[in-house]
Amino acid sequence: MRHGDRTPQRPLVPLHPFPSDQENSLIIDAHSHVHDPVHSHLALLDEAGVDRAVLFGTRPHPERATDLASLRREMSVLHETIGGRSDAPDGNRAARRELDAACAAHPDRFLGFGKVRLDLTAQQIAAEVEREVVGRGFRGIGELTPPPDGAGQIEPVLQAAADHRGLPVVVHGFAPTTADDLATLAGLARRYPTVPLVISQLGGLNWLTAIELARQTPNVYLELSTAHIIFAVRLAITEVPERTMFGSDAPYGDPVLARATVERVTRPGTLRDRVLGDTIAELLGL
């Protein structure tokens, strides 16, 4: 602090290596994608002291990239996916096979979520939830990627989730998701109050809007991965302590850094336990 600067400085919570002081709580990464190879993901979870991870299927695999050109190819697939243009049949079938294989091989580590297509009729979506999510023993639906300003497309999914005792539904929150999309999601959540609706990545650049909407909507949850401003994470946990969840978005994020971020802005105790795993464990009935 410069001489004469009397601005109060808020003390940071000391950061320590991950202690094993949560004997009664699971540490759960609430947002991750299938890695190739899967054992590299398990190594990251072990390094971060994470017991289990919510696992989504994926078409892009940035962890496969070895240079700029190959990363660009993978990221072009990602941009198609998050832009709502992810319905290539071959790619989707491959992603489902990878997800099935990872969850079957490591049921003690992975909590699979199944994705459904949004370009179907409500009746077809209901059938797909029955077949591809419930029928495969998955714990929830996601990560859904409606096109920008098209978040209303998820309503039939919420209806199907409500019909299955309120399956959690995870929706992509970072760009190209817009602030209007977040408002649409909150409005839909109010129509289906038994469905936990998780906005991932803390709403991206619209994190302040996401926090405000979550405060107003009791069944909207915030997953904290890829948050780029530390006080956004602190504010989300402060304002919505019962509905914020640690996540890494691996392989795009890192479980070690994501957990360290949460522990940087919280103190040991019930609140930290909730964010690091208890909340998502309750949603999934663990």
Side-chain angles (χ1 to χ4, degrees):
M1 185 164 60
R2 297 188 303 270
H3 179 69
D5 185 351
R6 298 182 180 276
T7 303
Q9 301 296 308
R10 181 170 183 169
L12 291 171
V13 177
L15 182 63
H16 302 290
F18 303 123
S20 57
D21 60 353
Q22 295 180 302
E23 296 179 358
N24 298 317
S25 295
L26 291 172
I27 307 297
I28 303 174
D29 183 342
H31 188 128
S32 69
H33 298 270
V34 175
H35 285 45
D36 182 21
V38 173
H39 67 73
S40 65
H41 190 186
L42 296 174
L44 287 174
L45 297 177
D46 290 343
E47 184 182 5
V50 173
D51 298 299
R52 308 189 73 176
V54 169
L55 193 65
F56 305 121
T58 182
R59 290 175 59 221
H61 279 284
E63 73 280 6
R64 292 174 178 166
T66 57
D67 55 22
L68 181 59
S70 57
L71 181 60
R72 280 192 179 278
R73 286 194 295 272
E74 297 295 339
M75 295 304 285
S76 70
V77 178
L78 173 66
H79 293 153
E80 288 181 359
T81 299
I82 62 178
R85 303 184 303 278
S86 61
D87 294 321
D90 290 343
N92 285 336
R93 282 194 291 268
R96 282 177 175 167
R97 285 195 300 270
E98 291 175 345
L99 178 62
D100 285 343
C103 291
H106 305 282
D108 58 326
R109 303 302 298 276
F110 293 135
L111 301 157
F113 273 46
K115 188 173 181 178
V116 298
R117 291 173 52 183
L118 299 177
D119 63 338
L120 305 174
T121 67
Q123 184 176 6
Q124 290 171 323
I125 286 174
E128 188 147 310
V129 169
E130 178 75 38
R131 181 180 64 252
E132 300 297 337
V133 180
V134 178
R136 291 174 180 265
F138 289 142
R139 302 295 188 122
I141 304 170
E143 178 189 12
L144 300 181
T145 52
D149 294 318
Q153 291 184 14
I154 77 160
E155 182 165 11
V157 180
L158 296 180
Q159 178 63 69
D163 292 341
H164 288 280
R165 299 182 180 180
L167 283 172
V169 175
V170 179
V171 184
H172 179 80
F174 210 91
T177 301
T178 66
D180 285 344
D181 284 325
L182 297 181
T184 298
L185 292 174
L188 290 173
R190 288 190 283 272
R191 293 185 200 173
Y192 300 91
T194 64
V195 177
L197 178 59
V198 182
I199 296 174
S200 64
Q201 297 108 4
L202 193 50
L205 299 179
N206 300 303
W207 55 268
L208 192 57
T209 297
I211 295 170
E212 290 171 340
L213 291 169
R215 282 192 58 186
Q216 300 163 8
T217 316
N219 58 319
V220 167
Y221 292 71
L222 300 175
E223 182 269 311
L224 300 170
S225 66
T226 67
H228 60 291
I229 299 177
I230 190 67
F231 63 75
V233 176
R234 177 188 288 119
L235 182 66
I237 293 172
T238 299
E239 295 293 330
V240 199
E242 302 296 310
R243 288 179 282 119
T244 47
M245 300 183 295
F246 150 66
S248 69
D249 202 5
Y252 303 96
D254 187 296
V256 169
L257 299 179
R259 180 175 176 182
T261 298
V262 170
E263 297 201 344
R264 185 64 165 168
V265 299
T266 60
R267 297 187 180 279
T270 301
L271 175 59
R272 179 184 287 182
D273 291 353
R274 288 201 64 84
V275 177
L276 287 179
D278 286 355
T279 293
I280 185 66
E282 287 178 5
L283 289 184
L284 302 184
L286 301 181

